[in-house]
Amino acid sequence: EAANKSIDETTQKADKSGKSMGASFKSIVGGIGKAAAAVGSGALAIGASLYGMANKTASAADAIDKGSQKVGFSAEAYQKWDYVLGQNGDSIDSLTTYVTKLTNNLDDAANGSETANEKFARLGLSVDELKQMSREDMFDAVVKALANVEDESERAALANDLLGNKSAALAAMLNSGSEAIDGLKDRAVELGMVMSDDTVKAGVVMGDTIDDIKRSLSGAFNMIGGAVIPAVQKLLDSVIDKLP
């Protein structure tokens, strides 16, 4: 009798212990599952954030690439001038106007225009040397030469002749001098505002790739939809036939 009682008690304890262990194990596994899910969600969130960041950078890179190509500047030079002009109350949108006007004046001078040649000569610049430069170097050389003209009236007149009537917006920049202009360019780099040419190119490629994927998915959707149209049409025809 004592043995049987002891066996019953042991069985009950074992049963309770087993249930308790089972519940504990289930809780542990559930906890691990929740932790894994949380890590997975976090990874997805981080992935989405990184994708969003890369996508925004790609969009910015694409805008820089297109803008720089319009004026014939490198991506880095375009971004530096964006900062310089912005700091002096002007806009990067004006750069195309300035460069176009300057290029036309340089072409006139190279083709023998005495008036155009005289303008560059007053700045101490050689037309032949300017013609050998890239557009960004040519613009940089002319702007610095203008900034070094001491007489404000003469500087304004030359800027108007060489860069166009919008050049009045450059007054603050030209008044600051050529060293200040270079200082702003350096500051743009120091503050991390200038993406390298390679980064811009990578951003453009990524943007184009995303566009390709979107267009491909759209094309695939249309192909599937096109294949389904005949079946849907039969169904619609059947419905019309059954209408009273």
Side-chain angles (χ1 to χ4, degrees):
E1 185 179 351
N4 286 333
K5 185 179 179 182
S6 177
I7 289 170
D8 290 339
E9 289 178 354
T10 302
T11 303
Q12 289 174 5
K13 288 180 180 179
D15 185 50
K16 288 180 180 179
S17 178
K19 288 179 180 178
S20 178
M21 282 296 293
S24 297
F25 183 73
K26 183 178 180 181
S27 176
I28 290 169
V29 171
I32 292 173
K34 289 178 181 178
V39 171
S41 298
L44 288 173
I46 291 170
S49 297
L50 290 175
Y51 172 79
M53 184 187 300
N55 199 19
K56 286 181 179 179
T57 303
S59 297
D62 189 63
I64 291 167
D65 179 66
K66 287 180 171 57
S68 63
Q69 288 192 52
K70 283 182 181 179
V71 292
F73 282 23
S74 66
E76 291 182 21
Y78 181 81
Q79 294 170 87
K80 290 176 183 178
W81 278 111
D82 184 16
Y83 180 68
V84 173
L85 293 172
Q87 286 290 301
N88 286 280
D90 203 349
S91 167
I92 190 64
D93 295 332
S94 303
L95 189 60
T96 304
T97 304
Y98 300 145
V99 174
T100 301
K101 180 68 174 178
L102 181 58
T103 303
N104 290 338
N105 275 305
L106 187 59
D107 285 340
D108 289 342
N111 290 324
S113 170
E114 293 183 7
T115 304
N117 272 284
E118 188 264 341
K119 293 170 186 174
F120 289 106
R122 286 168 64 185
L123 291 175
L125 297 172
S126 166
V127 172
D128 290 335
E129 290 179 2
L130 289 173
K131 287 290 290 183
Q132 300 302 315
M133 295 180 183
S134 64
R135 278 194 170 190
E136 62 189 69
D137 289 339
M138 173 193 67
F139 181 74
D140 190 67
V142 170
V143 167
K144 287 181 179 178
L146 285 168
N148 291 331
V149 175
E150 295 183 1
D151 187 279
E152 290 187 19
S153 298
E154 183 183 7
R155 183 197 308 144
L158 284 170
N160 183 75
D161 290 340
L162 292 172
L163 303 177
N165 53 21
K166 287 188 176 181
S167 63
L170 294 174
M173 181 186 75
L174 296 176
N175 289 339
S176 66
S178 59
E179 290 185 6
I181 294 171
D182 283 339
L184 286 174
K185 288 181 182 180
D186 292 339
R187 183 166 176 77
V189 176
E190 291 169 5
L191 295 176
M193 297 177 183
V194 180
M195 281 192 277
S196 69
D197 289 344
D198 289 340
T199 301
V200 170
K201 288 177 183 177
V204 171
V205 171
M206 178 183 163
D208 290 344
T209 304
I210 291 173
D211 185 62
D212 287 345
I213 291 171
K214 288 179 179 178
R215 290 176 184 272
S216 296
L217 291 174
S218 177
F221 181 84
N222 291 335
M223 288 176 65
I224 294 169
V228 172
I229 284 176
V232 175
Q233 186 62 48
K234 287 182 179 179
L235 176 62
L236 295 175
D237 291 341
S238 177
V239 170
I240 290 175
D241 291 340
K242 297 293 189 289
L243 289 174

